[in-house]
Amino acid sequence: MRILLAGLAALSVVAAPVNSTVDGVWRTDGYRQLIEVAGGKLTTYDVTEDSCLPGSVTGTGDGTTFAANEGLVATVDRRAGKLSFDGDLGVRFLHRLPALPAQCRARPSSDALSTFDIFWHTLAENYPFFAAKGVDWPAEGRAARQQVAAHPDRLYNVLCGLISPLHDAHVGLFTPDRRCTSLRPGTPDPATTIPRTVAVADANLDAPVRHWAGGGYADLPGGIGYLRIESFQGYTGTFAGDRAALGNALDEIFTTARISALHGLILDLRVNGGGADPLGLQVAARLTNAPHFAYAKRARNDPRDPARFTTPQPFFVRPAAGPRYPGPVAVLIGDLDASAGETFVQALLNRRPRPVLIGQPTQGVYSDTMERTLPRPGWRLAVPNEEYLDPQGRTYDGTGIGPDVPAPVFAPADLAAGRDPVLATARRLLG
């Protein structure tokens, strides 16, 4: 395997004077990315110790704020040396470079071995969890590269074979006609399971459900509220639109009259596939009268040492300005609760009173995913590079957050019979 240790510093650059504007080239601390700002346009480049390719994020704007693809807004703060996206939490610290490395302007080869090397390096230099997964990435890479050299037509299958043992839903290979991901063993197929699970949950509520873009709400007998959140994205076409739509839904749900009548609230996150972490904090802000620690976030920032990270950035749940419900909460969790659905659960763990978690462990994927463009047309790689830490510095990646009260989540026999024992347990505990 070709493993170059020269690093980004050895890439040749075209000399250019350093200026005092946002325009120029910036290197992020962590995230293995370069940011070029010129003429009101923001362009990203994804780097490894072996390559520099145009990135998937671009934007146009006024020189400081840029409307980026995927409905996000990027902001570059030159004085503070920071880059932020409105749909993400935290900032990425920037270091100015004299110019864009010349290699970033070159057209990369799309042959099988070049594509393999960029795939391998991208994971090797960013993924923090090889040791926890018990995967010897260099050894696996050497064997896999030999396979690609001998059979370049099998490139996709070889790369997918490297992903599978990670059992990480946030690692994925995507081509125009195929996709390769690897959920935790035993996870049911979301596409076939979720529609049936939602129907069974609704049928067991004994109350009308008011549906909204991200889920549904019902007032159950006995002064218990039921709020299901199925995602933290996709309500509109932009993050700003999603935030407004969620806020409107929460205003309708958390009224002063309803809160005064509630004796307990069930939060159903069992089919929450994730989205934007700030939306999870937006909901958590309606569930407390006192600020509390949510989690701290850090990113791997050394391509050769998976144990080195950026300085953790802490995040807190702060009470919303409008009506809030601070009473008892039961949270329904399971292995289809993933990503931002899990960081939302983590953000509730330090709430007082602490919610009771019912069901099975969450999926165990917390980090935002970086999308990397591979040399082959239409080939993309998703890779996580962050950790979300609890107050003790622990991450729940891999294991997920476990329940306080274990109960089977949508077992096939329960689905067939239309039963929902997790919901029944929550109602009993709050009743």
Side-chain angles (χ1 to χ4, degrees):
M1 165 166 293
R2 185 159 47 99
I3 304 178
L4 303 185
L5 299 180
L8 180 62
L11 295 176
S12 61
V13 299
V14 179
V18 175
N19 58 57
S20 60
T21 70
V22 169
D23 281 13
V25 180
W26 306 83
R27 174 179 59 81
T28 59
D29 182 14
Y31 302 94
R32 302 294 283 150
Q33 198 168 60
L34 303 182
I35 311 296
E36 183 181 41
V37 181
K41 182 178 180 181
L42 180 146
T43 305
T44 59
Y45 295 86
D46 303 329
V47 299
T48 72
E49 293 198 322
D50 197 22
S51 64
C52 178
L53 278 75
S56 61
V57 178
T58 59
T60 57
D62 61 7
T64 299
T65 302
F66 303 85
N69 47 344
E70 300 184 3
L72 298 177
V73 174
T75 301
V76 179
D77 183 336
R78 174 186 61 81
R79 290 180 176 82
K82 298 176 181 178
L83 167 69
S84 61
F85 293 94
D86 65 343
D88 293 342
L89 291 174
V91 298
R92 304 181 185 187
F93 291 94
L94 301 174
H95 307 277
R96 190 184 285 277
L97 297 181
L100 191 71
Q103 287 87 336
C104 299
R105 303 292 190 197
R107 181 182 297 273
S109 171
S110 61
D111 66 71
L113 283 178
S114 296
T115 301
F116 175 90
D117 288 338
I118 292 174
F119 170 95
W120 185 91
H121 274 281
T122 299
L123 278 157
E125 297 174 21
N126 292 284
Y127 191 66
F129 307 118
F130 288 119
K133 303 284 186 176
V135 173
D136 185 339
W137 191 243
E140 295 290 335
R142 283 190 291 270
R145 196 174 193 277
Q146 292 177 359
Q147 295 179 51
V148 173
H151 304 283
D153 58 315
R154 300 179 186 174
L155 174 64
Y156 175 88
N157 290 335
V158 172
L159 298 185
C160 188
L162 287 173
I163 287 175
S164 296
L166 297 176
H167 299 303
D168 190 322
H170 270 174
V171 180
L173 174 65
F174 309 97
T175 75
D177 57 352
R178 290 180 288 186
R179 55 185 292 126
C180 175
T181 58
S182 180
L183 299 174
R184 190 173 62 198
T187 303
D189 177 18
T192 58
T193 304
I194 288 178
R196 177 60 179 159
T197 63
V198 170
V200 168
D202 283 357
N204 279 266
L205 291 175
D206 305 322
V209 182
R210 178 166 183 171
H211 293 278
W212 55 287
Y217 180 83
D219 287 307
L220 308 185
I224 297 175
Y226 170 87
L227 174 59
R228 181 174 62 243
I229 305 177
E230 299 171 20
S231 68
F232 286 115
Q233 65 182 1
Y235 315 151
T236 67
T238 66
F239 169 75
D242 287 353
R243 181 174 53 197
L246 178 60
N248 290 336
L250 294 175
D251 285 341
E252 292 185 18
I253 294 168
F254 292 100
T255 63
T256 301
R258 175 172 283 121
I259 288 172
S260 65
L262 282 181
H263 301 301
L265 177 67
I266 297 172
L267 277 175
D268 192 346
L269 304 175
R270 290 173 293 176
V271 295
N272 191 307
D277 295 319
L279 299 188
L281 295 183
Q282 186 177 352
V283 178
R286 300 291 186 123
L287 302 175
T288 184
N289 285 334
H292 62 83
F293 177 80
Y295 38 68
K297 176 179 174 179
R298 66 181 185 177
R300 184 178 163 187
N301 70 343
D302 189 313
R304 305 174 206 176
D305 185 354
R308 292 191 62 180
F309 290 83
T310 58
T311 301
Q313 299 179 49
F315 299 93
F316 297 84
V317 176
R318 304 191 185 279
R324 302 180 295 271
Y325 171 74
V329 174
V331 183
L332 313 187
I333 59 174
D335 47 17
L336 293 180
D337 179 8
S339 194
E342 297 181 87
T343 65
F344 175 49
V345 177
Q346 188 170 350
L348 299 176
L349 295 183
N350 293 304
R351 177 188 186 267
R352 294 294 179 267
R354 185 186 185 279
V356 58
L357 309 184
I358 306 170
Q360 294 176 328
T362 61
Q363 179 65 212
V365 288
Y366 292 77
S367 168
D368 295 334
T369 56
M370 302 186 299
E371 184 176 295
R372 294 296 193 243
T373 302
L374 296 174
R376 294 210 162 180
W379 284 44
R380 297 175 293 111
L381 171 65
V383 57
N385 72 322
E386 299 168 337
E387 290 184 336
Y388 281 65
L389 307 176
D390 70 5
Q392 289 72 45
R394 177 179 57 184
T395 175
Y396 295 97
D397 272 278
T399 63
I401 295 174
D404 303 307
V405 181
V409 177
F410 298 127
D414 290 328
L415 286 177
R419 296 187 299 259
D420 193 341
V422 175
L423 178 60
T425 301
R427 296 177 72 167
R428 185 173 64 253
L429 290 176
L430 293 176

